[in-house]
């Protein structure tokens, strides 16, 4: 039987489970590692205190897989979200409503590499741009035909949290095995594409007008080194959230945010007007005096070289995911964030 969801604006069950992830408050920690692949999530979760037997596990019927446990006594969640901007969007927005206080989110994902360095290298990008298909371009027309539109668009950059970025770089650098042949980059730029194929310059049987895309990207974006599909949206949402909610957030924030966007004529009668700002306040909010920043960083494993065309082997993938996952886990558990005693509690553990 399907659950009953209330409220078309932000659907939740009566016991407050969110629509796509299926989680609710108490099941998600403030420190989160997000990955694209279930097996990567599970192998990192197996390194939590007490191993998988000691970990809360929830798989939603939309394919999101969450593990929550403790790392060296600190609550931490690992979530596998699949691929692309929409799934990153579901994750950040729905987890935000399950967690009070500051959040620290690290993406540990794979990517393609644009530099002539070995596959298996790591990049911890200091910025990310969105590289997206321009749907106003006529892709069915001949390439030679002059069009006003460009087939692809590059956005302005979004940035990670500086301290979390440094913590991740320091941690992976310290944890690399003596035999590791890869490079560890920390001052390069990432591009997050809206397709694995067309907007990453791969040639398929579709007319994508992308044969010069990588060349163009390298010309337009200084220090660009990696291509994947989620980091930009994570950095974008985290930084706009943090800038617009610099002091307070509680699980009741959604009612505040929603009411601020209601046109005055349609505002519920119970709302009051904030005297200083003139904004309409919702019925509830009891903001906690903690910061509610979302701090984000990204650690990217170069699985595909777009220079040599080489792909990483399954053995090297396992080894890289294993030691980099451990390093990210330990560093995130140690990373200081502002969490009040009440909201750091993960009730089921
Ligand atoms: C494409 O194969 C997927 O791999 C990368 C891309 O961002 C995209 O999600 O990341 P993950 O390995 O984390 O899924
Ligand atoms: N993930 C991507 O998005 N691109 C690659 O080339 C490899 C992994």
């Amino acid at each position: 039987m399907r659950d009953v969801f209330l409220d078309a604006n932000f659907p939740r069950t009566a016991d407050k489970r969110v629509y796509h992830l299926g989680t609710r408050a108490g099941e998600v920690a403030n420190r989160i590692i997000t990955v694209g692949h279930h097996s990567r999530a599970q192998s990192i979760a197996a390194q939590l205190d007490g191993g998988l037997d000691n970990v809360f596990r929830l798989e939603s019927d939309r394919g999101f897989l969450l593990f929550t446990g403790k790392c060296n006594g600190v609550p931490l969640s690992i979530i596998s979200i699949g691929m692309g901007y929409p799934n990153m969007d579901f994750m950040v927005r729905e987890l935000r409503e399950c967690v009070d206080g500051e959040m620290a989110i690290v993406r540990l994902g794979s990517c393609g590499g644009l530099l002539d360095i070995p596959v298996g290298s790591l990049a911890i990008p200091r910025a990310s741009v969105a590289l997206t298909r321009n749907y106003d371009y006529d892709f069915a027309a001949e390439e030679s035909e002059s069009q006003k539109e460009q087939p692809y668009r590059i956005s302005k950059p979004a940035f990670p949290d500086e301290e979390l970025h440094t913590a991740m770089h320091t941690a992976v650098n310290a944890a690399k095995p003596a035999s590791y042949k890869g490079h560890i980059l920390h001052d390069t730029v990432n591009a997050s594409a809206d397709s694995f194929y067309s907007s990453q310059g791969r040639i398929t049987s579709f007319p994508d007008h992308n044969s010069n895309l990588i060349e163009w990207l390298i010309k337009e974006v200084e220090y660009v080194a990696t291509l994947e599909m989620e980091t930009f949206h994570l950095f974008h949402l985290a930084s706009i959230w943090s800038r617009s909610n610099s002091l307070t957030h509680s699980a009741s924030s959604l009612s505040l945010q929603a009411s601020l966007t209601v046109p005055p004529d349609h505002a519920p009668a119970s709302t009051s007007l904030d005297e200083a700002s003139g904004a309409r306040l919702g019925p509830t909010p009891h903001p906690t005096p903690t910061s509610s920043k979302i701090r984000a960083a990204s650690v990217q494993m170069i699985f595909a070289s777009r220079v040599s065309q080489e792909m990483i082997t399954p053995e090297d993938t396992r080894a890289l995911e294993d030691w980099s996952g451990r390093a990210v886990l330990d560093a995130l558990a140690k990373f200081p964030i502002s969490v009040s005693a009440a909201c750091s509690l993960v009730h089921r553990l």
Side-chain angles (χ1 to χ4, degrees):
M1 252 257 297
R2 284 180 166 247
D3 285 322
V4 175
F5 285 90
L6 312 169
D7 184 358
N9 178 62
F10 195 88
R12 278 196 253 219
T13 57
D15 64 351
K16 302 285 181 213
R17 293 196 175 279
V18 294
Y19 196 37
H20 305 90
L21 270 56
T23 51
R24 65 175 174 182
E27 294 175 350
V28 184
N30 295 62
R31 292 174 175 79
I32 296 159
I33 298 176
T34 175
V35 304
H37 210 284
H38 283 18
S39 72
R40 191 180 310 146
Q42 173 147 326
S43 65
I44 300 170
Q47 305 191 51
L48 291 168
D49 301 350
L52 285 176
D53 289 344
N54 223 21
V55 160
F56 170 74
R57 180 187 190 281
L58 183 72
E59 184 161 7
S60 84
D61 56 8
R62 292 288 192 168
F64 294 91
L65 175 63
L66 173 89
F67 296 94
T68 297
K70 290 184 175 173
C71 173
N72 306 323
V74 178
L76 202 144
S77 294
I78 296 145
I79 183 163
S80 169
I81 66 168
M83 295 174 272
Y85 283 66
N87 282 358
M88 181 56 80
D89 196 74
F90 286 128
M91 187 208 80
V92 176
R93 290 178 198 272
E94 293 191 3
L95 289 191
R96 180 64 275 183
E97 298 309 318
C98 296
V99 171
D100 273 329
E102 217 166 274
M103 297 171 80
I105 307 179
V106 178
R107 170 172 149 75
L108 176 60
S110 68
C111 67
L114 302 175
L115 306 182
D116 191 10
I117 58 175
V119 290
S121 293
L122 289 174
I124 305 102
R126 66 171 164 83
S128 178
V129 296
L131 174 57
T132 49
R133 188 175 181 91
N134 176 5
Y135 290 99
D136 293 335
Y137 182 86
D138 183 357
F139 284 89
E142 288 298 318
E143 188 123 23
S144 57
E145 283 177 27
S146 63
Q147 293 199 39
K148 271 196 274 151
E149 302 284 340
Q150 290 280 343
Y152 297 89
R153 291 179 168 147
I154 301 171
S155 75
K156 291 180 183 159
F159 299 95
D161 177 85
E162 241 178 88
E163 287 160 349
L164 192 56
H165 171 265
T166 304
M168 291 304 132
H169 173 229
T170 309
V172 292
N173 225 2
K176 66 175 186 277
S179 58
Y180 182 59
K181 298 268 185 327
H183 295 223
I184 297 181
L185 312 169
H186 70 283
D187 54 3
T188 51
V189 176
N190 166 251
S192 291
D194 59 356
S195 165
F196 180 79
Y197 295 104
S198 60
S199 43
Q200 293 191 30
R202 289 188 163 92
I203 307 300
T204 70
S205 50
F206 284 78
D208 288 319
H209 295 237
N210 63 350
S211 51
N212 298 322
L213 178 67
I214 289 183
E215 209 181 305
W216 175 63
L217 176 69
I218 291 171
K219 190 162 100 346
E220 295 290 319
V221 181
E222 209 175 6
Y223 305 114
V224 69
T226 54
L227 273 169
E228 47 78 91
M229 298 174 65
E230 296 83 11
T231 292
F232 176 81
H233 199 58
L234 172 62
F235 288 1
H236 168 75
L237 285 181
S239 58
I240 58 160
W241 172 273
S242 300
R243 274 170 44 218
S244 64
N245 292 263
S246 53
L247 256 188
T248 54
H249 173 78
S250 71
S252 58
S253 73
L254 191 62
S255 58
L256 173 62
Q257 298 296 316
S259 64
L260 287 172
T261 62
V262 174
D265 292 352
H266 300 88
S270 61
T271 58
S272 61
L273 214 64
D274 178 281
E275 286 186 1
S277 66
R280 275 177 196 281
L281 299 177
T284 27
H286 296 296
T288 49
T290 57
S291 159
S292 74
K293 270 189 184 170
I294 305 177
R295 294 161 172 263
S298 183
V299 176
Q300 305 182 335
M301 303 171 284
I302 300 179
F303 278 12
S305 168
R306 301 304 304 281
V307 178
S308 68
Q309 306 305 332
E310 197 189 346
M311 289 289 297
I312 194 168
T313 64
E315 298 72 40
D316 288 350
T317 302
R318 258 194 304 278
L320 181 62
E321 288 183 341
D322 199 48
W323 71 258
S324 64
R326 178 79 244 175
V328 168
L329 198 57
D330 287 339
L332 186 56
K334 273 195 269 173
F335 187 75
I337 54 173
S338 159
V339 178
S340 77
C343 62
S344 65
L345 237 177
V346 178
H347 304 296
R348 291 213 181 186
L349 299 174

